[in-house]
Amino acid sequence: MAARGPFCAGIDPHPGLLTAWGLTDDVDGLERFARTAVEALGDTVALLKPQSAFFERHGSRGVAVLENVIADARAAGALVLLDVKRGDIGSTMQAYADAYCDPASPLCADAVTVSPYLGFESLRPVLDTAAAHGNGVFVLALTSNPEGPEVQRATTADGRTVAGTMLDHVRAANAGAEPLGSVGVVVGATTGGAATGGSGEDLAVGGPLLAPGIGAQGATVADLATVFGAALPQVVPSASREVLSAGPDPRALRAAAQKTIDDVRDLLFRASTGA
């Protein structure tokens, strides 16, 4: 991120985007879309985030395309965050950990998204496997979907919100790590004043903060300062359609990503200087 800027570009080949790019909604269209996105962005952005579901919907051949996306993106120098949002228990969670966090698997990425809402300790297999191989985990905390608050902002018996409890667990998991731990959280850029009022949550968890919702979901880069407050330097904004809608021209894709990177760098500079 120091070299390329703090930005995560999603690779979400949903049917509408395939059609907008003049591609067929099949494995051939999927492969052309994914290859173009990686070739355009792999040497430009710090972090690429393929959404696994849009590859899985095409069956085993779609998963094979996803394997190539991970390998090609990493070969281009980008980190890969595989967006799978898995959450389960016991041996099943260990199987997910083996799939996404163990280099022996062709689906292993630099980091993976997980859901803690079967209890934070249900994530232990992923946390331990990722740590053993130097990989990262992003835990869902305050998501950008409108249905999230009924669970995430619910209050527990000790008066904390459910999301706040998860943030506390992540903070504990990162204790002592410098400069940041490898367990991050997902906090939507559309969640209002989560750090400065709103839910009153402390977002300084000692790890990176993935902030989806820029662009098509309604948030702007400027909103990041309001949502994250003092935790802004740890934020990795994420956008998918905001960048991908510029395709299929690789130069336009690269320019769209670079504009967001420049906007984020400008925001961080102004925040650090008080400008």
Side-chain angles (χ1 to χ4, degrees), residues 25 31 51 67 73 116 121 138 169 171 196 202 207 214 223 250:
D25 185 13
E31 186 168 22
Q51 168 48 255
E67 292 175 1
E121 278 303 307
F138 282 87
H169 281 303
R171 189 176 295 107
T196 57
D202 178 4
I214 301 294
D223 292 331

Side-chain angles (χ1 to χ4, degrees), residues 122-156:
S122 69
L123 303 179
R124 183 54 53 191
V126 168
L127 296 170
D128 289 348
T129 303
H133 296 290
N135 292 0
V137 178
F138 282 87
V139 178
L140 301 183
L142 288 162
T143 56
S144 56
N145 62 303
E147 302 85 2
E150 68 175 297
V151 173
Q152 297 159 18
R153 296 187 187 274
T155 304
T156 65

Side-chain angles (χ1 to χ4, degrees), residues 218-232:
T220 67
V221 168
D223 292 331
L224 297 173
T226 301
V227 174
F228 293 94
L232 184 62

Side-chain angles (χ1 to χ4, degrees), residues 145-216:
N145 62 303
E147 302 85 2
E150 68 175 297
V151 173
Q152 297 159 18
R153 296 187 187 274
T155 304
T156 65
D158 61 6
R160 294 180 296 173
T161 63
V162 173
T165 301
M166 298 307 163
L167 292 167
D168 287 343
H169 281 303
V170 172
R171 189 176 295 107
N174 288 324
E178 293 292 342
L180 289 175
S182 293
V183 184
V185 295
V186 179
V187 176
T190 58
T191 55
T196 57
S199 69
E201 307 295 0
D202 178 4
L203 298 179
V205 295
L209 307 171
L210 185 73
I214 301 294

Side-chain angles (χ1 to χ4, degrees), residues 47-67:
L47 186 62
L48 289 175
K49 181 172 68 67
Q51 168 48 255
S52 181
F54 292 116
F55 296 85
E56 294 172 28
R57 65 186 289 269
H58 294 281
S60 61
R61 292 177 63 198
V63 174
V65 173
L66 177 59
E67 292 175 1

Side-chain angles (χ1 to χ4, degrees), residues 21-84:
W21 281 29
L23 300 173
T24 51
D25 185 13
D26 54 22
V27 174
D28 290 338
L30 172 72
E31 186 168 22
R32 289 179 61 188
F33 182 100
R35 187 179 300 275
T36 299
V38 172
E39 288 178 353
L41 302 174
D43 62 355
T44 300
V45 303
L47 186 62
L48 289 175
K49 181 172 68 67
Q51 168 48 255
S52 181
F54 292 116
F55 296 85
E56 294 172 28
R57 65 186 289 269
H58 294 281
S60 61
R61 292 177 63 198
V63 174
V65 173
L66 177 59
E67 292 175 1
N68 290 334
V69 165
I70 294 171
D72 292 347
R74 297 178 79 179
L79 295 168
V80 177
L81 168 57
L82 187 55
D83 195 359
V84 292

